[in-house]
Amino acid sequence: MPEADLEVLRHRLHQSRDVVVLTGAGISAESGVPTFRGPDGLWRQYRAVDLATPQAFQRDPRLVWEFYQWRRQLLAPLQPNPAHRALAALEQRCPRFTLITQNIDGLHALAGSRRIIELHGNIWHLRCTGCGQVREDRRLDLPPLPACQTCGALLRPHVVWFGETLDPAVLAAAYAAVAACDLMLVIGTSGLVQPAASLGYLAKQRGAFVAEINLEPTPQSDLYDLSLLGKAGDLVPRLLPAAR
Ligand code: OAD
């Protein structure tokens, strides 16, 4: 790992007034959350179309809920890792800081991050298919078909499924943050799912310095100013001045 690249990035971070970080499943891997496309990735074991689409939920809501209850049970005991914690610490040091995540695991908030845009929703939030109300609900013993307390209609996980569009307000907030930032970090994402995959490039086009931290190169690596290869849990804490 080129220490010189880390030093460049630390220096840039120190100079930046408006920082945006985009994270993907890779940042939670060291907490024990399976990624989607790695060797043990979720989408290698399950067919997303059977479990994470509006059609699947319409066809067999019990099966889809079983999948999400299982994922909630797996996630419940997991803790933020040093990368999540380092980003929470970084937020405290930056005049303006926005964390955009594709993750639905809620680990950034648990680590202490405050300004978080959850592009793909949050598995601990449930949304009513009738009245649209969204509530946090961390229970692990949900009924097989949970119902809304207000209107009685079926609840669904408040996550974005394949074939669904992102919440326009959430996406607009992400675009606004990216357009305004002077430095962007892209951490632990394969860069294969839009629109998240193009946010780093947008920042670059707007003149920001963009750096990626990932185990392996991604389709966007060459477009960025720096691509640091390694584990997020190792590299992200080293961006903090205290770690020097
Ligand atoms: P992926 O599973 O596609 O990619 C994870 C990336 O993290 C890969 O490039 C890995 O090399 C990298 N990685 C793994 N462990 C790492 C570590 N310890 N440190 C640094 N990098 C590591 O996950 P995402 O890019 O987040 O969408 O996937 C994007 C979206 O696809 C997800 O939000 C989900 C999925 O379908 C929805 O569910 C809507």
Side-chain angles (χ1 to χ4, degrees), residues 32-49:
V33 182
T35 59
F36 293 95
R37 298 177 179 79
D40 301 321
L42 213 52
W43 298 151
R44 292 209 191 273
Q45 298 174 53
Y46 302 96
R47 273 163 38 97
V49 286

Side-chain angles (χ1 to χ4, degrees), residues 10 89-90 93 237-244:
R10 273 194 292 258
L90 202 58
R93 310 181 63 93
R238 286 162 71 191
L239 297 176
L240 294 170
R244 295 167 95 169

Side-chain angles (χ1 to χ4, degrees), residues 125-191:
H125 293 171
L126 308 187
R127 183 166 86 239
C128 178
T129 57
C131 67
Q133 194 174 62
V134 178
R135 273 177 196 266
E136 180 171 355
D137 188 335
R138 303 188 77 93
R139 281 178 298 162
L140 296 179
D141 58 350
L142 288 169
L145 291 173
C148 177
Q149 288 173 17
T150 311
C151 75
L154 180 63
L155 293 170
R156 59 165 279 179
H158 183 49
V159 299
V160 176
W161 283 329
F162 287 96
E164 292 185 317
T165 51
L166 274 58
D167 179 331
V170 171
L171 190 56
Y175 279 135
V178 165
C181 76
D182 43 38
L183 185 143
M184 181 161 171
L185 288 175
V186 180
I187 306 173
T189 175
S190 58

Side-chain angles (χ1 to χ4, degrees), residues 37 189-194 197 219-220:
R37 298 177 179 79
T189 175
S190 58
L192 295 172
V193 174
Q194 295 293 358
Q220 287 84 24

Side-chain angles (χ1 to χ4, degrees), residues 55-181:
Q55 293 79 7
F57 191 62
Q58 216 162 19
R59 197 169 50 236
D60 194 347
R62 249 173 216 273
L63 176 71
V64 174
W65 258 120
E66 217 174 284
F67 175 61
Y68 279 92
Q69 310 260 44
W70 170 73
R71 284 180 71 188
R72 284 161 65 101
Q73 275 154 12
L74 288 184
L75 288 174
L78 303 185
Q79 293 299 315
N81 66 56
H84 295 107
R85 287 196 290 272
L87 290 181
L90 202 58
E91 180 170 4
Q92 299 300 317
R93 310 181 63 93
C94 293
R96 201 175 147 81
F97 184 97
T98 309
L99 180 55
I100 304 173
T101 188
Q102 297 167 86
N103 300 344
I104 59 171
D105 55 34
L107 288 177
H108 283 302
L110 217 52
S113 285
R114 291 280 163 265
R115 237 177 109 85
I116 309 173
I117 297 176
E118 290 176 320
L119 278 183
H120 295 166
N122 186 314
I123 200 166
W124 303 109
H125 293 171
L126 308 187
R127 183 166 86 239
C128 178
T129 57
C131 67
Q133 194 174 62
V134 178
R135 273 177 196 266
E136 180 171 355
D137 188 335
R138 303 188 77 93
R139 281 178 298 162
L140 296 179
D141 58 350
L142 288 169
L145 291 173
C148 177
Q149 288 173 17
T150 311
C151 75
L154 180 63
L155 293 170
R156 59 165 279 179
H158 183 49
V159 299
V160 176
W161 283 329
F162 287 96
E164 292 185 317
T165 51
L166 274 58
D167 179 331
V170 171
L171 190 56
Y175 279 135
V178 165
C181 76

